[in-house]
Amino acid sequence: VKFLTVSAANSYRDPSRFTTRGDAFCNATQSTVGVGVTSLKGEEWRWRKTALLKTFHKSRLLSAERGVLDKIVQRGRLLCEALGEHADSNKVVSVDILTTEAAVGVVLFFLFGR
């Protein structure tokens, strides 16, 4: 992540050399989740990323009083338990749904405190 967001940050600006930030990727992402940091490149991506930096800085995310790290651990344990139950029963599991639920749970806690 650090390599992509710091070392290779120039790759997001036109002309983009970051292969997943091509026009096809941006169009597909925008049609799925809308316009945002994950679906843009160039200067549009840059100003949005800059606006989010302070809010999502690791010192704010991981401060003990916010409790985000505890929520990440809790959601990680629930994810491991769910995967373990499926492994024990030899049932097919949709991992993308489980991981999305875990990620959304953490994001909602961070944004709204629940």
Side-chain angles (χ1 to χ4, degrees), residues 35-65:
V35 176
V37 177
T38 58
S39 64
L40 295 170
K41 62 182 184 176
E43 290 305 312
E44 276 291 307
W45 168 83
R46 186 178 191 194
W47 79 259
R48 290 172 192 261
K49 178 192 152 246
T50 302
L52 292 172
L53 280 177
K54 286 184 181 178
T55 302
F56 291 98
H57 191 272
K58 68 179 178 182
S59 63
R60 286 194 71 187
L61 289 172
L62 300 179
S63 66
E65 59 271 2

Side-chain angles (χ1 to χ4, degrees), residues 20-29:
T20 61
R21 292 290 174 137
D23 292 336
F25 175 83
C26 290
N27 291 335
T29 307

Side-chain angles (χ1 to χ4, degrees), residues 11-109:
S11 298
Y12 295 106
R13 296 183 189 93
D14 287 331
S16 178
R17 294 180 308 277
F18 189 58
T19 57
T20 61
R21 292 290 174 137
D23 292 336
F25 175 83
C26 290
N27 291 335
T29 307
Q30 285 179 19
S31 68
T32 305
V33 296
V35 176
V37 177
T38 58
S39 64
L40 295 170
K41 62 182 184 176
E43 290 305 312
E44 276 291 307
W45 168 83
R46 186 178 191 194
W47 79 259
R48 290 172 192 261
K49 178 192 152 246
T50 302
L52 292 172
L53 280 177
K54 286 184 181 178
T55 302
F56 291 98
H57 191 272
K58 68 179 178 182
S59 63
R60 286 194 71 187
L61 289 172
L62 300 179
S63 66
E65 59 271 2
R66 292 207 56 130
V68 176
L69 188 57
D70 291 336
K71 181 57 76 172
I72 291 170
V73 170
Q74 176 196 29
R75 285 300 193 159
R77 285 186 177 138
L78 291 172
L79 176 60
C80 289
E81 288 172 11
L83 291 172
E85 289 172 11
H86 282 83
D88 292 342
S89 66
N90 289 326
K91 290 183 180 177
V92 175
V93 61
S94 182
V95 176
D96 57 333
I97 292 174
L98 291 176
T99 55
T100 299
E101 287 175 349
V104 168
V106 171
V107 169
L108 289 175
F109 178 79

